[in-house]
Amino acid sequence: MEQLIYLDNAATTKVNPKVLDAMLPYFSDKFGNPSSVYGFASGNKQAITEARENVAEILGADPSEIYFTGGGSEADNWALKATADAYEKKGKHIITTKIEHHAILHTCEYLESKGFEVTYLDVDENGVVDMGQLRSSIRPDTILISVMFANNEIGTMQPIAEIGRLAKEKGILFHTDAVQAFGHVPIKVDEMGIDMLSASGHKLNGPKGVGFLYIRKGVKIRSFIHGGAQERKRRAGTENVPGIVGLGTAARICADTMEERARKESELRDYLIERVMKEIPYTRLNGHRTKRLPNNANFSFQFVEGESMLIMLDMAGICGSSGSACTSGSLDPSHVLLAIGLPHEIAHGSLRLTLGDDTTREQIDYVVEKLKEIVEKLRSMSPLYED
Amino acid sequence: MEQLIYLDNAATTKVNPKVLDAMLPYFSDKFGNPSSVYGFASGNKQAITEARENVAEILGADPSEIYFTGGGSEADNWALKATADAYEKKGKHIITTKIEHHAILHTCEYLESKGFEVTYLDVDENGVVDMGQLRSSIRPDTILISVMFANNEIGTMQPIAEIGRLAKEKGILFHTDAVQAFGHVPIKVDEMGIDMLSASGHKLNGPKGVGFLYIRKGVKIRSFIHGGAQERKRRAGTENVPGIVGLGTAARICADTMEERARKESELRDYLIERVMKEIPYTRLNGHRTKRLPNNANFSFQFVEGESMLIMLDMAGICGSSGSACTSGSLDPSHVLLAIGLPHEIAHGSLRLTLGDDTTREQIDYVVEKLKEIVEKLRSMSPLYED
Amino acid sequence: MYSEKVMDHFQNPRNVGEIEDASGIGTVGNAKCGDIMRIYLDVDENQVIQDVKFKTFGCGAAVATSSMATEMVKGKTVNEALTVTNKAVMEALDGLPPVKVHCSLLAEEAIHAALWDYAEKNHIKIEGLSKPKSDISEHEEEEDY
Amino acid sequence: MYSEKVMDHFQNPRNVGEIEDASGIGTVGNAKCGDIMRIYLDVDENQVIQDVKFKTFGCGAAVATSSMATEMVKGKTVNEALTVTNKAVMEALDGLPPVKVHCSLLAEEAIHAALWDYAEKNHIKIEGLSKPKSDISEHEEEEDY
Ligand SMILES: Cc1ncc(COP(=O)(O)O)c(C=O)c1O
Ligand SMILES: Cc1ncc(COP(=O)(O)O)c(C=O)c1O
Ligand code: FES
Ligand code: FES
């Protein structure tokens, strides 16, 4: 079999070897607890400070506004639950969208069970949030708007600055789940009016199990994990030094290479989209044609089921993923694809290919050829397809 | 300066090089998301399964009862908050002790702010929980008893099996924070009647930022971090594969070497205790003389302040820690030392030395000599000391 | 995730296709996941299933269980065919992951639907066969581990 | 955590000790952390501080600020000694971490207490000096970062 072609960078990414190099000393050599008094551990505290500065600088934030967490899901849970806790006297209404990641949606359901009301905004056929509906959903008791920066399935980017402006105008906090966007597209918290922002290390060639929540100074924030005095007493737990160093290094590298990377990836992505749309009939591109993450392509092939397609791609050495239900342990078809209006059976035949900075044109060519064969084979087995 | 003598293994430990070796492939080579369909990621799912089995076996638990988390604090928060959530219909009373780690105590305070009532049990001068008081504190609305397995400051181990029996008899859930004990002393959840147990990777020569919560089958459990379907849908977030593999490997190594290690460490610890008690006057051993963690020694040197002592030890190449307030960002003296009845100024002059499996008798000899000098020097500067 | 047998039947599915003028055709959809399966039966005058074909819009497990189920009913009488339960098919495939158990129901139900169609067309009654639902749904939430 | 100057004064504290028959002695405790400092002054007839000694039960910052503060008041008149504030001592030490600011108050207050004692014994009034509290406490919660 050919070399592995990894086109699932939205699921997770390879740790950049430079990032791993930066992490390595902190496992078995400089392993001290950053809270310790002795000199042996003070370098570790310093390493965390540097990582925090790296991350803050990219966002145009102050280092004291960055709180490291155990990942993107924790950051999302924290942002929503702590805001609910701190502002419930003001109101119990939250606005989000139908296409958020489950870390947001399931947290909202939890908050609903605790007496909060949540408005789930619709999106148009491209996955863009309806600003008019957002505006008219705002109530006097609305305490939080949470809209993701870019969608993890279809890559669509939201009009974040516009939402930020509206939120500010109305005096409502604005959180964005930027797990897919941070490190890949420019984000400036001040210009965009973002009050809280979640990100995760493993989506930007950093390590798994570490992320952060940006919290603007002045936002009332409660702890989510209570205990020790780490992270300005806001997030307890011995710091994951290698993880934090890895995240900081990855963020720095991503910021330095962002422009060039985005240009290269979006060019290859466009090439992939063009070929697939032209050469495979009954195919739909999901997500916005231009306002999408540079590395994201998402197709629906009519009459074809997603998991079967993934397994056949796997046999051809290609890693992709699907909006298909079967893949995630849940059996419901992707809520994102349903929200952009796809019927069940088409949502079920979706394929997400997300490029990395090492993806080549040759790989794309190979993938397109294989995809053509696979879609044809599955269609010939499909009771829905008559040719 | 001499080679560093690291005697702060209760704060954190060095990642065992074998553990790091086991982790390394999962950063940049086998980096796939374990939830993915393709073969490239299936090994990662398998690696997590093995880590889960390793951990479960040591506890005599079923692998399906182990839920990986982002650390010990998260596990503690989860255990308490989720139990409160799931059982509040039954009652809103929780029993814990005055000497728990802040991850428990601050979580209890949070629950108190939400309308729960918490009884904080006293301990005797050795730090052992008062079983009579525990028995008499139980009420019809008591839903949870949370007592740590071994204390992180003074090393005292609690009568866990006895507490487990009582909890079972009364039909109350029993959680134990075993962050300091897991991997160091034998723990069997069934024999000891433990329903939930927290542990953290970095206390057993595993990595930071990963831990687990054991939850007995049948215990109603709510999610703490909502989102994806990881960890049997109970703990969302892309799995920290290297971290989990590291924790599993560390647990396995610790289990295999436990007996020999404990024998060696407690021998050295006893040697240290004997020499210090004999050679430095006005000194108190904190914690139970025998029912203590094999690697823990904790002294109070009258008339001496802890931080000054730590800095001088540091200058002599020795890493230790103190019950002293100043070291943790908080200024209150250690709640544990106060709970065992020490007056403020004595609690303030405490030193914790926690051995590792690489600690030698030569190191202990050197430490005792240095300690004598340092205590003498500080006493000569102390307004409390008249000789 | 899948056993070797499942992968074999998925990669080289047996009996894919259609039968013209089939004795019985059954199409069922899985309400839960939206997948669809159609089975064509060619039954002779002795009620023996001479040929069987399928078309499936479904996951890997759906394709493999279709393939295996058609293999298992071929040559059986319509009554014997009822013994080809989803359990039997799963066993023949060396098992399926827990989340995939419902997929095997699709195959069982599609065969039942095709048998029902055959029975109706021929005005006979097959002992133990009840009118198929057009949408099958799961018996219980499977736990995903 | 500490500057080089702090570490120097901690490792080699100046003026440790006691003065027999001191002109003034001040002892203060920090209510927050329980640490204690005692200052001995030897003041001549021109109200010039000829000698000063200290004893401290306290953290590294407490020892270093004691040492620096005694250096700074030595040779000054009792009035000039009031300019040796905790801020001035911290500056002279190239700063202290935020959690350690309260420790420098201990030195300031101990000097004030010793001056007060001297003034009482000699029935004089030092302009700008008010009766010291025996326990000083922090002005505000410092944030730990
Ligand atoms: C007894 C105890 N519980 C909980 C914790 C918290 O663990 P972690 O720092 O890994 O979150 C610790 C150590 O810091 C501990 O010693
Ligand atoms: C948009 C989005 N939010 C949140 C998450 C959760 O991040 P993590 O898996 O690191 O907890 C993910 C990825 O899994 C994501 O794509
Ligand atoms: S048939 Fe739908 S998930 Fe398998
Ligand atoms: S003097 Fe008490 S902490 Fe510094």
Side-chain angles (χ1 to χ4, degrees):
Chain A
M1 202 205 287
E2 299 75 10
Q3 208 205 338
L4 191 81
I5 300 179
Y6 185 76
L7 293 179
D8 202 12
N9 286 285
T12 195
T13 58
K14 173 187 186 136
V15 174
N16 184 321
K18 283 186 218 154
V19 169
L20 184 55
D21 278 350
M23 295 169 67
L24 278 180
Y26 295 96
F27 288 106
S28 304
D29 299 327
K30 303 193 255 178
F31 62 84
N33 190 319
S35 300
S36 302
V37 169
Y38 33 79
F40 170 60
S42 65
N44 299 0
K45 198 167 190 164
Q46 184 51 34
I48 291 178
T49 301
E50 271 167 38
R52 203 186 305 280
E53 286 166 356
N54 270 344
V55 167
E57 194 192 320
I58 295 165
L59 293 173
D62 191 85
S64 67
E65 298 173 316
I66 305 297
Y67 300 85
F68 291 112
T69 68
S73 298
E74 186 195 320
D76 281 344
N77 274 254
W78 183 10
L80 267 56
K81 290 175 187 170
T83 303
D85 217 5
Y87 289 87
E88 67 177 327
K89 290 244 164 63
K90 186 192 161 198
K92 300 188 100 177
H93 180 236
I94 291 170
I95 300 175
T96 185
T97 78
K98 290 196 171 143
I99 61 164
E100 297 297 310
H101 189 268
H102 283 129
I104 295 290
L105 290 179
H106 288 334
T107 303
C108 283
E109 285 160 24
Y110 166 80
L111 289 173
E112 286 177 313
S113 80
K114 296 287 164 198
F116 286 80
E117 259 182 277
V118 182
T119 300
Y120 300 92
L121 299 176
D122 294 313
V123 294
D124 68 16
E125 73 276 12
N126 294 318
V128 180
V129 82
D130 182 336
M131 285 301 294
Q133 197 195 2
L134 169 54
R135 198 172 277 277
S136 64
S137 300
I138 293 174
R139 315 188 321 204
D141 63 340
T142 305
I143 54 174
L144 179 69
I145 297 171
S146 180
V147 175
M148 70 201 316
F149 204 103
N151 184 267
N152 48 308
E153 292 189 32
I154 57 175
T156 300
M157 306 215 285
Q158 301 297 338
I160 292 298
E162 214 179 316
I163 299 170
R165 261 197 307 279
L166 179 60
K168 196 160 187 185
E169 181 192 310
K170 302 285 185 182
I172 299 169
L173 290 179
F174 175 37
H175 167 258
T176 186
D177 174 345
V179 168
Q180 290 289 336
F182 178 73
H184 296 290
V185 292
I187 306 180
K188 292 292 174 196
V189 286
D190 285 346
E191 290 165 29
M192 295 174 169
I194 297 165
D195 295 312
M196 287 181 276
L197 177 147
S198 311
S200 185
H202 70 101
K203 307 288 191 187
L204 50 140
N205 301 104
K208 295 176 174 63
V210 64
F212 71 84
L213 182 62
Y214 156 81
I215 308 174
R216 180 180 293 284
K217 217 165 258 173
V219 171
K220 264 196 277 176
I221 190 79
R222 301 283 155 82
S223 291
F224 176 56
I225 297 184
H226 293 86
Q230 294 89 354
E231 300 296 299
R232 301 168 68 86
K233 304 186 186 150
R234 289 292 181 271
R235 201 285 191 179
T238 304
E239 296 92 338
N240 175 0
V241 185
I244 289 170
V245 166
L247 171 53
T249 309
R252 159 71 41 231
I253 296 175
C254 275
D256 290 346
T257 60
M258 191 183 293
E259 220 171 305
E260 167 62 11
R261 212 164 17 99
R263 196 193 50 65
K264 197 195 126 189
E265 285 179 9
S266 54
E267 205 174 285
L268 271 182
R269 172 202 69 189
D270 290 342
Y271 175 66
L272 167 67
I273 291 175
E274 258 163 54
R275 279 203 62 185
V276 167
M277 296 303 290
K278 210 169 66 193
E279 299 177 34
I280 305 182
Y282 306 111
T283 297
R284 183 187 192 284
L285 174 70
N286 298 315
H288 197 282
R289 182 62 198 83
T290 55
K291 286 184 219 143
R292 71 189 304 141
L293 288 172
N295 75 340
N296 174 295
N298 187 309
F299 306 102
S300 285
F301 302 101
Q302 260 191 71
F303 321 121
V304 165
E305 193 271 346
E307 198 213 58
S308 292
M309 187 161 42
L310 291 186
I311 302 178
M312 289 193 175
L313 284 167
D314 186 22
M315 296 184 314
I318 301 163
C319 298
S321 74
S322 166
S324 161
C326 317
T327 61
S328 69
S330 144
L331 296 164
D332 307 319
S334 153
H335 64 286
V336 176
L337 299 178
L338 296 181
I340 60 171
L342 299 198
H344 270 235
E345 74 276 11
I346 296 189
H348 221 43
S350 297
L351 175 68
R352 177 183 72 181
L353 299 174
T354 41
L355 287 55
D357 62 352
D358 50 357
T359 308
T360 63
R361 179 172 280 255
E362 290 65 46
Q363 290 182 332
I364 298 292
D365 283 329
Y366 172 81
V367 169
V368 174
E369 291 310 322
K370 281 290 162 190
L371 203 50
K372 279 157 73 174
E373 288 171 25
I374 288 167
V375 169
E376 207 167 276
K377 176 166 179 188
L378 286 172
R379 281 181 177 165
S380 78
M381 284 171 57
S382 172
L384 302 173
Y385 184 66
E386 322 275 344
D387 66 347
Chain B
M1 200 204 291
E2 298 75 11
Q3 207 204 339
L4 191 81
I5 300 181
Y6 185 76
L7 293 180
D8 201 12
N9 286 283
T12 195
T13 58
K14 174 187 184 136
V15 173
N16 184 321
K18 282 186 219 153
V19 169
L20 184 55
D21 279 350
M23 294 169 68
L24 279 180
Y26 295 96
F27 288 106
S28 304
D29 298 328
K30 302 193 254 176
F31 63 83
N33 189 319
S35 300
S36 302
V37 169
Y38 34 79
F40 170 61
S42 63
N44 298 2
K45 198 168 191 163
Q46 183 52 32
I48 292 177
T49 301
E50 270 166 39
R52 204 185 304 280
E53 286 166 357
N54 270 343
V55 168
E57 195 192 317
I58 294 165
L59 293 172
D62 191 86
S64 67
E65 297 173 317
I66 305 297
Y67 300 86
F68 291 112
T69 67
S73 299
E74 186 194 320
D76 281 344
N77 274 255
W78 183 10
L80 267 56
K81 291 175 187 171
T83 304
D85 215 6
Y87 288 87
E88 67 176 327
K89 289 245 165 61
K90 187 192 160 201
K92 300 188 101 177
H93 181 236
I94 292 170
I95 300 174
T96 186
T97 80
K98 290 195 172 143
I99 63 164
E100 297 297 310
H101 189 268
H102 283 130
I104 295 290
L105 290 180
H106 288 334
T107 303
C108 284
E109 285 161 25
Y110 166 80
L111 290 172
E112 286 177 312
S113 80
K114 297 285 163 198
F116 286 81
E117 259 182 275
V118 182
T119 300
Y120 300 92
L121 299 176
D122 293 315
V123 294
D124 67 16
E125 73 279 12
N126 293 318
V128 180
V129 83
D130 181 338
M131 285 301 294
Q133 196 194 4
L134 169 55
R135 199 173 277 278
S136 65
S137 300
I138 292 174
R139 313 187 322 203
D141 63 340
T142 306
I143 53 172
L144 179 69
I145 298 170
S146 180
V147 175
M148 71 200 316
F149 204 103
N151 184 268
N152 45 309
E153 292 189 31
I154 57 176
T156 300
M157 305 215 286
Q158 302 297 338
I160 293 297
E162 216 179 314
I163 299 170
R165 259 198 309 280
L166 178 60
K168 196 162 187 183
E169 185 191 304
K170 302 286 185 182
I172 297 169
L173 290 179
F174 175 37
H175 167 257
T176 186
D177 175 345
V179 167
Q180 290 288 337
F182 178 74
H184 297 288
V185 293
I187 306 179
K188 292 290 172 194
V189 287
D190 284 347
E191 287 164 31
M192 296 177 168
I194 297 165
D195 296 312
M196 286 180 278
L197 177 146
S198 311
S200 186
H202 70 101
K203 307 288 191 187
L204 49 140
N205 301 104
K208 294 174 175 64
V210 63
F212 70 85
L213 182 63
Y214 156 81
I215 308 172
R216 181 179 292 283
K217 215 165 259 173
V219 171
K220 264 196 277 176
I221 189 77
R222 300 284 154 82
S223 292
F224 176 56
I225 297 184
H226 294 87
Q230 293 90 351
E231 299 298 298
R232 299 168 69 84
K233 302 186 187 153
R234 290 292 182 272
R235 201 284 191 179
T238 304
E239 296 92 338
N240 176 358
V241 184
I244 290 170
V245 166
L247 172 52
T249 309
R252 158 71 42 231
I253 295 174
C254 276
D256 290 348
T257 61
M258 190 182 295
E259 221 170 305
E260 168 62 11
R261 210 164 18 98
R263 198 194 48 67
K264 198 196 126 191
E265 285 179 6
S266 53
E267 208 173 284
L268 272 183
R269 172 203 68 188
D270 290 342
Y271 174 67
L272 167 66
I273 291 174
E274 259 164 53
R275 282 203 60 187
V276 166
M277 297 302 291
K278 211 169 63 194
E279 300 176 35
I280 305 181
Y282 306 111
T283 298
R284 184 188 194 283
L285 175 70
N286 298 315
H288 197 283
R289 182 61 198 84
T290 55
K291 285 182 218 145
R292 72 187 304 140
L293 288 172
N295 75 340
N296 174 295
N298 186 310
F299 307 102
S300 287
F301 302 102
Q302 260 190 73
F303 321 122
V304 164
E305 192 271 346
E307 199 214 57
S308 293
M309 187 164 38
L310 291 186
I311 302 180
M312 291 194 171
L313 284 167
D314 186 22
M315 295 183 317
I318 300 163
C319 298
S321 73
S322 167
S324 161
C326 317
T327 61
S328 67
S330 145
L331 297 164
D332 307 318
S334 153
H335 64 286
V336 175
L337 299 178
L338 296 181
I340 61 171
L342 298 200
H344 272 236
E345 74 277 11
I346 297 191
H348 222 42
S350 297
L351 174 68
R352 178 183 72 182
L353 299 174
T354 40
L355 286 57
D357 62 351
D358 50 356
T359 308
T360 64
R361 179 173 282 255
E362 290 66 43
Q363 290 181 332
I364 298 291
D365 283 329
Y366 173 80
V367 168
V368 173
E369 292 310 323
K370 282 290 162 193
L371 203 50
K372 280 158 70 174
E373 290 171 25
I374 289 168
V375 169
E376 209 165 275
K377 174 164 182 190
L378 286 172
R379 280 182 179 164
S380 78
M381 285 171 58
S382 173
L384 302 173
Y385 184 65
E386 323 275 345
D387 67 347
Chain C
M1 160 172 193
Y2 289 129
S3 71
E4 269 176 46
K5 279 220 181 123
V6 172
M7 285 308 288
D8 174 39
H9 276 266
F10 174 73
Q11 283 178 258
N12 310 297
R14 284 57 146 178
N15 309 311
V16 177
E18 304 178 14
I19 297 176
E20 294 211 3
D21 305 319
S23 325
I25 302 181
T27 305
V28 292
N30 192 320
K32 201 78 197 235
C33 63
D35 292 337
I36 292 162
M37 193 180 297
R38 182 175 301 151
I39 296 269
Y40 302 82
L41 295 177
D42 176 15
V43 185
D44 71 10
E45 61 285 1
N46 299 322
Q47 302 199 346
V48 172
I49 297 168
Q50 288 295 346
D51 198 9
V52 48
K53 296 274 184 203
F54 79 89
K55 285 210 157 184
T56 291
F57 168 83
C59 70
V63 172
T65 51
S66 309
S67 165
M68 178 56 92
T70 51
E71 282 286 274
M72 288 169 76
V73 297
K74 204 187 281 189
K76 287 206 168 55
T77 66
V78 294
N79 275 309
E80 288 165 352
L82 288 182
T83 63
V84 181
T85 61
N86 78 309
K87 277 219 176 127
V89 175
M90 281 201 291
E91 262 167 42
L93 286 169
D94 295 339
L96 284 177
V99 266
K100 291 295 178 179
V101 172
H102 75 284
C103 314
S104 65
L105 286 171
L106 204 55
E108 180 185 309
E109 293 289 325
I111 291 171
H112 287 188
L115 288 170
W116 183 266
D117 182 44
Y118 160 78
E120 283 216 315
K121 277 183 184 154
N122 292 278
H123 310 290
I124 59 170
K125 194 170 178 312
I126 301 172
E127 201 60 51
L129 181 70
S130 47
K131 188 167 165 39
K133 301 150 253 161
S134 63
D135 264 355
I136 65 142
S137 55
E138 276 190 289
H139 301 320
E140 52 174 330
E141 261 276 297
E142 296 293 336
E143 223 179 347
D144 160 44
Y145 185 16
Chain D
M1 158 174 194
Y2 289 129
S3 70
E4 268 176 47
K5 280 219 181 121
V6 172
M7 286 308 288
D8 173 39
H9 277 265
F10 174 72
Q11 283 179 258
N12 309 296
R14 284 61 146 176
N15 311 311
V16 176
E18 305 177 15
I19 298 177
E20 294 210 5
D21 306 319
S23 326
I25 302 183
T27 304
V28 292
N30 191 319
K32 200 79 199 233
C33 64
D35 292 338
I36 291 161
M37 192 180 298
R38 182 175 301 150
I39 296 268
Y40 302 82
L41 297 177
D42 176 14
V43 184
D44 69 10
E45 60 287 1
N46 299 321
Q47 302 200 348
V48 172
I49 298 170
Q50 290 294 346
D51 198 10
V52 49
K53 297 273 184 201
F54 80 91
K55 286 211 156 183
T56 292
F57 169 82
C59 68
V63 173
T65 51
S66 310
S67 165
M68 179 56 92
T70 51
E71 284 284 275
M72 289 170 75
V73 298
K74 204 186 284 186
K76 287 207 165 59
T77 67
V78 293
N79 276 309
E80 286 165 355
L82 289 181
T83 62
V84 179
T85 60
N86 78 309
K87 276 220 174 127
V89 174
M90 282 201 292
E91 261 167 41
L93 286 168
D94 295 340
L96 283 177
V99 268
K100 290 296 178 180
V101 171
H102 76 285
C103 315
S104 64
L105 287 170
L106 205 53
E108 179 184 310
E109 293 288 325
I111 290 171
H112 289 188
L115 289 170
W116 185 266
D117 183 42
Y118 160 76
E120 285 217 315
K121 278 182 185 154
N122 294 279
H123 310 291
I124 59 170
K125 195 172 178 312
I126 301 174
E127 201 59 54
L129 181 69
S130 46
K131 188 168 166 37
K133 302 150 250 160
S134 63
D135 262 356
I136 65 141
S137 55
E138 274 192 290
H139 301 318
E140 51 173 330
E141 261 276 296
E142 296 293 335
E143 223 179 348
D144 161 45
Y145 182 21

